[in-house]
Amino acid sequence: MELNFGGTDLCAVNGTRSKAEARYDVVVVGAGPSGIAAALDAVKGGASVLLVDENPVSGGLMGNDTPLYFGGRMTAATQNSERMLEAIFMSMPELETAMEAGVELMLGTTAWGVYRNGPGAQSLPEQVVGLANAERSWMVAFDRIVLATGARDLAMAFPGWNQPGVMGAAAFQMLLSRYDAFSGRRILVAGSHDLALETALLAHERGIEVAGLVEMRNAPQGDPKLVAKVEALGIPITCNTHPVEAKGGLDGVEQINLADGETVACDTLVMAIGLIPMIELVDAMHGARALEPMRGGYIPKGEATVTAVGDCAGLADTGFDHIAYRMDWMRALSNSCADDTIICQCEEVTRADLIGVQPPNYLTRPAPMCARSLETLLQDGPANQDQIKRLTRSGMGVCQGRRCRDQVAMLLALESDKPFGTIPLATHRAPVRPLPMKILAEWDEPSEMDAAWDVWFGIPTAWVPWEDIGTPHEDEHREMLYTGMYK
């Protein structure tokens, strides 16, 4: 039985959803090479296509290492949005090709959530993607959506990594190749696989001094041809060692201490151990169940609704033991960490906090909480990063776990003596980018939502509608609540 006065169900969610501002046959998220190719294929097939990309991202987001691990090594040029936009077009002429072909392009626009009818979203009139720029957010409807969000850096903690000058290889390449806004002068590269070797070659090409590469294994791990190119430039590759501490001053890193006792003077350490596909949008859509495989080329109407292309669909298979390699690095760096080494920079969760399953120091710790540890937690079942996240706040900061999510899972695997793949990663929820409430909030609410704001979300046991307080209808509400007649 519905509670209905005057023919209106005040608890109904009908009409409370905002309508999409525009509609496209295909929306492509990510304007890298894969995204541009997908957009061109779609528009050539006669589809209306919207191509969105969050670059140029604001200096504030870069300071929070979103979407990449920039490590505080951006120049002041990143604060000038017009200059950044010009740099993108200068470095990516294929964007103009896409626009001339009929693709609508939106840069500096974040896709923060995709909503399709399903659990918790049954009232949507159609499937939509949430977009936001520096001024507002809005919804766009689509028939099909292609995710070409790329990959981000794998960060790993060690003493001193939480100061400016420790950054990721993808962010380094972005600052050099896309923005021309890297502030460092002399770098050290951690790793020796292709990503690290390509990073060193790019730096040398752009006039950045490369102090060398350090590899914790006993030999370089990348393509021998790339290794030869790096060595031919006089760039040393030192094996059987790794960073144990980053020492710095007011401007960040000044030197890196290595496990073999050597000290390297540099202003930047580029972590080039590996990349992680950016799957936040997919994960927030209930994970792999939402994703349908890309069969190549333009997707004819009526086929797959959500597809992924490029690095976000999975990194290229090079035959290299990526997981074992990363775990070797994690084990080596972890052994260098003291109890007070920060693991989650946003929430200042230390290694001791994480392994002890304790909240950060700014929260109180009652005695029962102090008695808790990962060991006691494991007695109740396998480690679960979502549970660890709620108990310690690791991954709950403004970077949304980009610096700690993957390494926390790796640490949990090491500490619980389990294979890495058996530890589930923390899940994502929309918005998948840290958006200010003034942008995300909907100031022009539909009249239906405004009229029944206190009950439209469908929890009748929590509220009596404001307009019925002090009227005979208030008692009718209470009677309904107490007799369980709401349905």
Side-chain angles (χ1 to χ4, degrees), residues 152-204:
R152 58 179 173 82
D153 300 296
L154 171 63
M156 292 186 178
F158 62 94
W161 80 295
N162 55 325
Q163 61 184 313
V166 181
M167 66 180 304
F172 177 76
Q173 293 178 17
M174 176 71 76
L175 290 179
L176 255 65
S177 301
R178 188 79 63 88
Y179 292 148
D180 190 22
F182 175 66
S183 65
R185 296 175 299 278
R186 190 170 196 262
I187 71 169
L188 178 68
V189 181
S192 70
H193 196 251
D194 291 358
L195 176 65
L197 297 167
E198 290 165 357
T199 297
L201 292 171
L202 174 63
H204 183 270

Side-chain angles (χ1 to χ4, degrees), residues 54 66-67 110-115 130 149 279-285 398-400 402 428-435 440:
E54 61 191 332
T66 302
T110 293
W112 52 264
V114 177
Y115 298 93
T149 47
I279 60 166
E280 297 96 322
L281 283 170
V282 174
D283 196 20
M285 282 189 286
V398 69
C399 87
Q400 297 178 312
R402 288 176 178 84
H428 294 96
R429 292 185 296 177
V432 299
R433 290 292 184 269
L435 299 177
L440 192 59

Side-chain angles (χ1 to χ4, degrees), residues 200-466:
L201 292 171
L202 174 63
H204 183 270
E205 177 187 336
R206 296 302 177 93
I208 305 297
E209 184 180 359
V210 183
L213 292 80
V214 292
E215 171 56 55
M216 55 81 53
R217 287 185 171 180
N218 60 11
Q221 301 295 299
D223 185 337
K225 293 181 180 179
L226 290 178
V227 172
K229 284 184 179 181
V230 168
E231 292 179 336
L233 294 173
I235 300 173
I237 303 176
T238 306
C239 298
N240 293 314
T241 192
H242 58 83
V244 295
E245 185 177 18
K247 302 283 287 186
L250 292 177
D251 296 325
V253 172
E254 295 175 349
Q255 69 179 46
I256 302 296
N257 296 339
L258 302 178
D260 60 5
E262 294 295 318
T263 295
V264 179
C266 61
D267 55 40
T268 304
L269 174 66
V270 181
M271 301 295 291
I273 312 302
L275 300 176
I276 305 295
M278 286 201 272
I279 60 166
E280 297 96 322
L281 283 170
V282 174
D283 196 20
M285 282 189 286
H286 311 295
R289 290 175 296 167
L291 190 63
E292 301 169 62
M294 178 74 167
R295 288 189 286 276
Y298 171 61
I299 308 164
K301 190 171 183 179
E303 293 196 14
T305 299
V306 182
T307 58
V309 298
D311 285 345
C312 78
L315 301 179
D317 182 10
T318 62
F320 180 67
D321 58 340
H322 289 93
I323 299 300
Y325 182 63
R326 297 176 190 195
M327 290 301 289
D328 284 348
W329 267 96
M330 188 76 253
R331 189 176 292 104
L333 293 175
S334 177
N335 289 338
S336 303
C337 293
D339 285 347
D340 62 353
T341 301
I342 296 292
I343 302 298
C344 172
Q345 294 188 26
C346 296
E347 295 293 317
E348 297 186 351
V349 178
T350 67
R351 176 184 170 82
D353 295 336
L354 182 69
I355 304 306
V357 195
Q358 299 297 310
N361 285 323
Y362 64 80
L363 295 176
T364 58
R365 298 180 177 184
M369 190 177 294
C370 291
R372 187 175 62 203
S373 68
L374 182 59
E375 183 178 353
T376 61
L377 211 63
L378 290 175
Q379 294 174 5
D380 297 327
N384 182 295
Q385 195 178 162
D386 272 335
Q387 182 185 32
I388 298 292
K389 176 180 175 180
R390 296 183 181 100
L391 294 173
T392 68
R393 295 193 61 82
S394 60
M396 295 186 73
V398 69
C399 87
Q400 297 178 312
R402 288 176 178 84
R403 288 180 293 216
C404 68
R405 175 177 180 261
D406 304 282
Q407 64 169 313
V408 166
M410 297 169 80
L411 281 170
L412 291 177
L414 290 176
E415 291 295 325
S416 57
D417 195 25
K418 299 290 184 181
F420 171 70
T422 64
I423 305 297
L425 291 167
T427 53
H428 294 96
R429 292 185 296 177
V432 299
R433 290 292 184 269
L435 299 177
M437 287 299 294
K438 66 179 181 180
I439 290 177
L440 192 59
E442 185 171 27
W443 301 108
D444 299 322
E445 292 180 342
S447 58
E448 294 87 348
M449 183 187 297
D450 186 60
W453 64 270
D454 53 350
V455 292
W456 73 266
F457 44 82
I459 310 178
T461 56
W463 301 95
V464 170
W466 177 84

Side-chain angles (χ1 to χ4, degrees), residues 19-24 26-29 50 52 109-116 124 126-132 137-147 281 285 432:
K19 295 181 180 179
E21 290 192 10
R23 194 176 205 291
Y24 297 86
V26 178
V27 173
V28 181
V29 180
L50 173 64
V52 301
T109 302
T110 293
W112 52 264
V114 177
Y115 298 93
R116 307 168 67 199
L124 288 175
E126 55 189 336
Q127 52 193 2
V128 295
V129 54
L131 303 178
S137 65
W138 67 99
M139 295 287 186
V140 166
F142 61 86
D143 284 336
R144 284 150 290 147
I145 188 167
V146 178
L147 306 180
L281 283 170
M285 282 189 286
V432 299

